[in-house]
Amino acid sequence: MSKKAVAKKPVVPAMFAKSAASSSPTKSAEGNKENHTKPDRLVPWVEKYRPKKVSDVAYQDEVVAVLTKCLAGSDFPNLLFYGPPGTGKTSTILAAAHELFGPQLFRDRVMELNSSDERGINVIREKVKKFAQFSVVATRTDGVYCPPFKLVILDECDSMTKAAQAALRRTMERESKTTRFCLICNYISRIIDPITSRCAKFRFKPLSNNIIEQRLQAICNNENVQCEPEAISELVKCTEGDMRKAVTFLQSVARFRTNETISTKDVHEITGVIPDNVIENLYQVCHSGSYEKLATTVKNVLLEGYASHQLLLQLHDHILAQMALGNEQKAVIFEKSAVVDGCLLDGADEYLQLMDFLCTVMHQLCRT
Ligand SMILES: Nc1ncnc2c1ncn2[C@@H]1O[C@H](COP(=O)(O)OP(=O)(O)OP(=O)(O)O)[C@@H](O)[C@H]1O
């Protein structure tokens, strides 16, 4: 379902067209440093290009379809959005709240809390409960119907204590007539069952490379930033479906680019993506079967300052694409990469871990 719907989405959402005029000073920035009357160029692009309407949210077709229906009927269930970072969870509910309450009532009707700062039971008892208790009536402002409830958005609620979640559950039950809740988290497993069972749950998927590429291209067009097509693809490679990461990297690369046109070299410098020839060289050294050569190459690669986690990630993709390796050999290699990744996260020595992984690759290649 999602693939077809995604393919039909316009490549350039309406929001890009609207902000084109405001972004023109950035274009001339490349040659005309005087032209910065408005501090537009300092606005983070993640905010500037945050979806303004639910229909602007890319790739999350299921939740967009449900919310569109809810907005048409001006009613909402309690919601639980979960999934990896930068996939649109916060943007979606903020856009829905703006459409639901309009600019005038948004402040009165919406309470937004970041649970990683305010995670204790007192916040639920004092702030959330008090806000939820107020009853509101349906109104019509500028001809727009505004429903008779408020919305509490609890971001990063997977860092709430269990006691706070239990208190929240009671508030959700008691104030269900006057207040709707939208809980947002990365890990649904950390939310207690009585809460998950009271919410309509939506999993936000990592965005496809294709979609990220299209949106980055649209931002480049809107900001009049020139970019080699390979540079965009290279940028997308390191985002792992995280749109926030993609847009943030693009803005940094655009700011610090060495020439007028963004090149893959600029992207590598900012994102830490490792050039393909470095990865290919490591793979070929494994092929050669020489341990000494491997040890020297790994030392040199680390001296260049490449991050070991990124090396592991790109080696994984490179090995996955190798036809010469059978399934069994790949399975052994990827099992090792998972172990090595865990050890790196725990702070193990980068050189030893990479050698451990690459020796496994060498061993498996010698069997072909
Ligand atoms: N599905 C999407 N469609 C369009 N833009 C998106 C989407 N997802 C993320 N973005 C972009 O990334 C930025 C961050 O998105 P958002 O804060 O909604 O992510 P999130 O899923 O809530 O992340 P986190 O779990 O880290 O809070 C937005 O401002 C927007 O520019």
Side-chain angles (χ1 to χ4, degrees):
M1 164 201 78
S2 55
K3 285 251 158 71
K4 272 198 167 168
V6 164
K8 274 189 216 152
K9 269 183 187 274
V11 173
V12 183
M15 57 194 275
F16 289 100
K18 266 189 206 158
S19 54
S22 69
S23 67
S24 49
T26 318
K27 187 254 180 303
S28 41
E30 93 227 352
N32 178 9
K33 294 205 167 84
E34 309 301 311
N35 190 4
H36 50 260
T37 42
K38 285 264 169 234
D40 184 49
R41 62 203 309 212
L42 299 177
V43 175
W45 288 354
V46 277
E47 287 311 324
K48 185 170 176 182
Y49 294 101
R50 193 186 274 281
K52 309 274 184 297
K53 289 185 283 168
V54 172
S55 55
D56 290 337
V57 175
Y59 206 58
Q60 313 297 355
D61 305 294
E62 201 189 352
V63 66
V64 167
V66 172
L67 284 185
T68 307
K69 269 193 186 165
C70 292
L71 288 170
S74 290
D75 195 14
F76 253 67
N78 290 320
L79 296 163
L80 174 55
F81 291 170
Y82 65 100
T87 48
K89 300 179 294 295
T90 311
S91 307
T92 303
I93 193 62
L94 286 178
H98 275 287
E99 285 185 55
L100 206 54
F101 304 118
Q104 294 190 8
L105 288 176
F106 183 87
R107 274 171 168 258
D108 294 341
R109 295 288 181 97
V110 179
M111 172 182 255
E112 206 189 340
L113 285 178
N114 190 316
S115 314
S116 59
D117 300 328
E118 309 178 89
R119 66 180 87 185
I121 191 165
N122 285 344
V123 174
I124 300 298
R125 283 195 185 132
E126 281 156 30
K127 280 197 182 174
V128 178
K129 201 171 153 191
K130 274 186 193 153
F131 176 79
Q133 276 169 347
F134 286 115
S135 54
V136 286
V137 290
T139 58
R140 194 167 280 279
T141 318
D142 297 335
V144 179
Y145 175 76
C146 177
F149 59 81
K150 295 157 286 141
L151 179 67
V152 176
I153 303 173
L154 286 166
D155 214 338
E156 302 188 27
C157 66
D158 40 5
S159 49
M160 271 168 79
T161 61
K162 292 272 181 299
Q165 291 189 36
L168 177 65
R169 165 207 171 169
R170 280 194 298 278
T171 308
M172 281 170 88
E173 262 164 16
R174 250 182 251 148
E175 315 303 339
S176 61
K177 278 202 181 127
T178 57
T179 310
R180 301 289 181 275
F181 290 82
C182 178
L183 279 64
I184 303 176
C185 64
N186 295 127
Y187 305 104
I188 195 172
S189 54
R190 294 186 191 158
I191 309 296
I192 59 171
D193 285 347
I195 286 191
T196 57
S197 63
R198 283 170 174 77
C199 297
K201 296 178 277 295
F202 293 97
R203 179 175 179 274
F204 280 63
K205 304 165 283 182
L207 277 79
S208 72
N209 286 356
N210 212 2
I211 292 286
I212 296 187
E213 215 167 310
Q214 284 175 9
R215 290 187 86 94
L216 293 188
Q217 194 58 64
I219 293 176
C220 282
N221 294 343
N222 204 43
E223 298 289 337
N224 285 308
V225 167
Q226 287 164 31
C227 192
E228 290 170 1
E230 309 81 55
I232 295 243
S233 315
E234 208 59 15
L235 207 158
V236 170
K237 262 191 201 169
C238 65
T239 59
E240 297 167 78
D242 181 337
M243 189 72 172
R244 181 194 290 113
K245 210 189 220 179
V247 177
T248 307
F249 276 154
L250 179 66
Q251 187 168 17
S252 305
V253 181
R255 205 157 180 203
F256 299 111
R257 64 187 186 263
T258 42
N259 291 307
E260 203 175 306
T261 304
I262 294 175
S263 65
T264 43
K265 193 163 169 278
D266 295 324
V267 172
H268 290 158
E269 302 231 321
I270 295 284
T271 60
V273 170
I274 298 150
D276 285 344
N277 61 326
V278 175
I279 301 295
E280 173 62 22
N281 187 36
L282 274 169
Y283 184 75
Q284 286 309 330
V285 172
C286 292
H287 229 311
S288 74
S290 160
Y291 181 84
E292 285 74 25
K293 224 171 154 185
L294 181 63
T296 316
T297 313
V298 170
K299 270 189 191 140
N300 289 339
V301 166
L302 287 175
L303 278 177
E304 287 288 320
Y306 297 126
S308 45
H309 173 76
Q310 185 66 26
L311 272 166
L312 206 58
L313 213 66
Q314 286 185 237
L315 279 163
H316 173 281
D317 291 349
H318 191 79
I319 292 165
L320 193 66
Q322 299 304 317
M323 306 301 263
L325 283 163
N327 287 335
E328 212 177 298
Q329 291 159 306
K330 284 181 184 171
V332 173
I333 293 172
F334 295 149
E335 205 176 340
K336 174 59 82 179
S337 79
V339 174
V340 165
D341 192 38
C343 293
L344 286 170
L345 281 174
D346 287 340
D349 182 88
E350 291 191 325
Y351 170 74
L352 292 178
Q353 290 304 316
L354 280 176
M355 284 303 287
D356 188 12
F357 173 68
L358 289 166
C359 285
T360 306
V361 178
M362 184 186 274
H363 195 72
Q364 294 304 314
L365 279 169
C366 290
R367 290 180 53 207
T368 56

